[in-house]
Amino acid sequence: FIKIKLILPLLLSTILFFNISYSKETFVGFIESLEGQVKKNIDGDLKRLSEYDQIFTNENIVVGSNSSINVSFIDNSTLTLNSESEFVIKKFDNVSKEKIFLLEIIKGKFTFESGSIAKSREDAMKIILSEIEVVLNGTLVTGENSEESKSIALVEDSLGKVGSLKVIIGDQTTEINEPSAGINISGTQIQQTTLSAEETDQVKEIKKKELVNSSTQSEEDIERALSKQLANGTIPDANGDGITDTN
């Protein structure tokens, strides 16, 4: 766990030395690991991503079939998406007094553990699932956004704590504060759900795998990856100010 905390500052400090032209958006995190094909879609332009690539606001990240991705954010939140998923960070502010993190899951299955922004104030962390808004208060969640249904459930986090969810659908609000409890929305039908022991264990196993992967990543691995990105011209935030560089 300590090594994870050390690797992120190392990565961010290394980025300080690089410079390249890019569109102006806010730096929010990086790809900690991926399997298969993951691309970002900016105005119809698809670009393949690699481990340690930076993630910015308003970039549609598309996870291909038989693929997965794990993203670490600078507020210590983590996001894992499975095959044929897509997400975008609509808003991210970890600096001002009114902190905010707005994550839209466009489609697919996901697991998300919130970081410091969700703990800063009651409505700072939100996940959007189409027309559904989910407010997180310091917690681990799992869910899915598909054409047929939307779902989200609360899980005990990696520290053994359980936060809370507030699911807002139109003028209806449902609060969830019990572990493994959730909600499923299919059309106009809203159903309270409970994850099975097996489903809960699967989510916890995902988090355990993330921790193991992070702890085995060496400084040399990261330096090699960053050097390769520099050579390929794929490090957009050169001066490390949290904003992509411009022409």
Side-chain angles (χ1 to χ4, degrees), residues 6-20 27 30 52 54 218-231 234-241 245:
L6 293 175
I7 285 177
L8 181 55
L10 169 69
L11 177 62
L12 300 182
S13 63
T14 305
I15 290 170
L16 289 172
F17 297 98
F18 300 126
N19 192 8
I20 190 169
F27 168 61
F30 68 99
Y52 310 121
Q54 298 174 42
S218 68
E219 295 180 6
E220 291 77 13
D221 290 335
I222 294 175
E223 289 174 357
R224 282 196 295 269
L226 289 172
S227 297
K228 182 178 180 181
Q229 291 175 38
L230 177 62
T234 57
I235 299 182
D237 181 23
N239 58 11
D241 61 359
D245 303 316

Side-chain angles (χ1 to χ4, degrees), residues 27-44:
F27 168 61
V28 299
F30 68 99
I31 298 174
E32 188 159 311
S33 63
L34 65 79
E35 296 181 2
Q37 286 201 0
V38 178
K39 299 179 180 180
K40 64 180 176 182
N41 184 346
I42 304 177
D43 298 326

Side-chain angles (χ1 to χ4, degrees), residues 109-129:
K109 295 181 179 180
F110 67 94
T111 300
F112 180 82
E113 185 164 11
S114 59
S116 62
I117 292 179
K119 300 174 178 66
S120 65
R121 58 189 179 90
E122 187 175 339
D123 60 348
M125 177 71 234
K126 298 178 181 179
I127 296 178
I128 305 300
L129 306 173

Side-chain angles (χ1 to χ4, degrees), residues 86-101:
E86 185 174 354
F87 78 96
V88 60
I89 307 301
K90 305 294 288 185
K91 294 181 181 179
F92 191 98
D93 182 351
N94 194 34
V95 178
S96 70
K97 184 177 181 180
E98 296 296 315
K99 295 180 174 59
I100 188 169
F101 188 164

Side-chain angles (χ1 to χ4, degrees), residues 57-93:
T57 52
N58 296 312
E59 291 183 337
N60 279 44
I61 309 300
V62 182
V63 182
S65 60
N66 300 315
S67 303
S68 64
I69 185 175
N70 176 36
V71 179
S72 290
F73 297 97
I74 59 177
D75 76 326
N76 289 326
S77 298
T78 60
L79 171 67
T80 301
L81 288 108
N82 295 335
S83 177
E84 298 182 351
S85 300
E86 185 174 354
F87 78 96
V88 60
I89 307 301
K90 305 294 288 185
K91 294 181 181 179
F92 191 98
D93 182 351

Side-chain angles (χ1 to χ4, degrees), residues 130-153:
S130 300
E131 69 280 2
I132 300 164
E133 181 178 280
V134 182
V135 181
L136 280 70
N137 181 17
T139 193
L140 170 63
V141 298
T142 184
E144 181 177 10
N145 187 4
S146 69
E147 293 183 2
E148 294 77 22
S149 64
K150 330 291 177 189
S151 64
I152 193 162

